[in-house]
Amino acid sequence: MRYKVLLVLVLVLACFTSFAQDKKFYIFLCFGQSNMEGNARFEPQDTTVDSRLKVLQAVDCPERHFTKDTWRTATPPLCRCNTGLTPADYFGRTLLAHLPADVKVGIINVSVAGAKIEVFEKDQYQTYLSTAPDWMKNTAKQYDGNPYARLVELAKMAQKEGVIKGVLLHQGESNTNDTLWTKKVKGVYTGLLDDLHLKAKAVPLLAGELVNADQNGACASMNKIIATLPQVIPTAHVVSSAGCTCAKDRLHFTAEGYRKLGSRYGATMLALLGYKNVVVD
């Protein structure tokens, strides 16, 4: 009898040890299309990164010596092998500039350029990808053909080491003027919460505006729909893109624009964490 009790205690302790979380390792899930991937070339100033900022590598990049499913210091690119600067870069830097020195920040970024939000819908992604161009299908293949499932897989890995604190979204160019977009986003967000056993109040959704009308953004009309997201998701918060400079295509931000937008994502998250007076621009 004593042996059985001892065995049970050992198993229980092993279980707790296996899934011990560092409460000071804050994890953030990032998804979207090309702006969340990062479209601008990163510059020398972007490559010096505090080792407390980590990224969980989503794909193998042998030429960069990045190995999927492993944590590394979050030097760009944070999405795939040949993507650029993303809002997540300066989101993480802004957090570390204001959080206590013993807190680490982890980024997970699964994004698909040019894709509608449907690529992240559990019941729609296969239908959507079946008619997608080959280059988009090839991007999805890097996530085992299912970007949403890959995001969840990485998030579950991360939960063994840290605590998921928020979800970052930058998407909408391919859904411009889609009045059902907010409902679709809610479905993806709710799915993440359910699949990862998270509570909405503890894991807010931060959604960035597309290139703003003040920059003559090609899809700026979508920002009116993005603005209504908190009406559908009470724990959603919209991050302004006003004044964030864009590329000639009027769809993507410049490196400077990504830095500013990412810092605003960071300030928004810091306010939700209780740091109310953070000014970033």
Side-chain angles (χ1 to χ4, degrees), residues 158-191:
Q159 283 182 306
K160 296 177 182 179
E161 300 185 49
V163 181
I164 296 174
K165 289 285 190 176
V167 178
L168 278 62
L169 169 67
H170 198 285
Q171 195 280 332
E173 292 89 350
S174 294
N175 288 87
T176 297
N177 301 325
D178 179 357
T179 57
L180 297 178
W181 181 82
T182 55
K183 181 180 178 180
K184 294 171 184 176
V185 171
K186 182 179 181 180
V188 178
Y189 175 61
T190 301

Side-chain angles (χ1 to χ4, degrees), residues 126-140:
Q126 288 178 310
T127 300
Y128 178 70
L129 285 173
S130 69
T131 59
D134 288 343
W135 57 265
M136 189 183 294
K137 290 178 181 177
N138 289 334
T139 297

